[in-house]
Amino acid sequence: MTDTIEPGPPEPPIAGNETDTMLGSLERQRATLAWKCGGLDTAGMRATLSPSSITLGGLLKHLALVEDDYFSRRLFGRSPGPPWDAVDWAANPDWEWRTAAEDSPEQLMTLWRDAVARSRSAVAEALARRRAGSPGHGDHHRPW
């Protein structure tokens, strides 16, 4: 019998600078979420544990919004893209949580993974600007 050890999520650097530590921690959290949601079917994405009404599907959709909000809008002041640009946030402040049940697991994972990819690109852009001496856009607050 052979013992196999599967690699865990990425770890932040032990002696990294503030940026590397923060990004390493964020990547660890992203990897954990991807692992927890990977391969779930619709019932798994919609399951709740009492007393909370939170589902993994709702969490994925909410975190896709958070990725786009922090790394596109707040960091650079960019307008939201789909699906966020079509939401009346004043009338539907919890839209992402409520509508996740309408999406397939594949749609939810794609929405979140695409938002993470945009966030990684935005961070790379912000770090390149910082090295070049050009600041980001500044802090803004939701709703769009």
Side-chain angles (χ1 to χ4, degrees):
M1 183 169 156
T2 305
D3 290 330
T4 59
I5 299 173
E6 292 187 33
E11 294 289 335
I14 292 173
N17 63 33
E18 185 177 3
T19 300
D20 292 340
T21 301
M22 187 273 305
L23 292 175
S25 295
L26 181 58
E27 288 300 333
R28 178 180 173 79
Q29 297 304 314
R30 288 171 174 159
T32 300
L33 182 65
W35 173 69
K36 297 248 182 206
C37 295
L40 289 179
D41 60 8
T42 300
M45 285 289 190
R46 292 181 183 169
T48 61
L49 296 174
S50 186
S52 176
S53 62
I54 292 176
T55 65
L56 286 174
L59 185 61
L60 273 173
K61 199 165 189 176
H62 174 72
L63 290 176
L65 171 64
V66 170
E67 292 277 354
D68 281 334
D69 184 44
Y70 274 83
F71 294 106
S72 292
R73 193 182 65 81
R74 291 182 189 219
L75 187 60
F76 290 112
R78 295 177 178 147
S79 296
W84 323 121
D85 58 347
V87 178
D88 179 352
W89 292 104
N92 298 297
D94 294 326
W95 176 85
E96 74 277 20
W97 293 101
R98 288 185 305 93
T99 61
E102 301 166 10
D103 300 326
S104 71
E106 295 79 17
Q107 289 170 313
L108 292 165
M109 288 298 291
T110 298
L111 180 69
W112 177 71
R113 284 186 175 133
D114 289 351
V116 168
R118 285 188 297 276
S119 294
R120 288 178 178 139
S121 293
V123 167
E125 181 182 346
L127 291 173
R129 285 184 181 193
R130 183 174 74 181
R131 284 189 294 274
S134 174
H137 188 274
D139 194 312
H140 299 276
H141 301 283
R142 186 175 150 202
W144 284 302

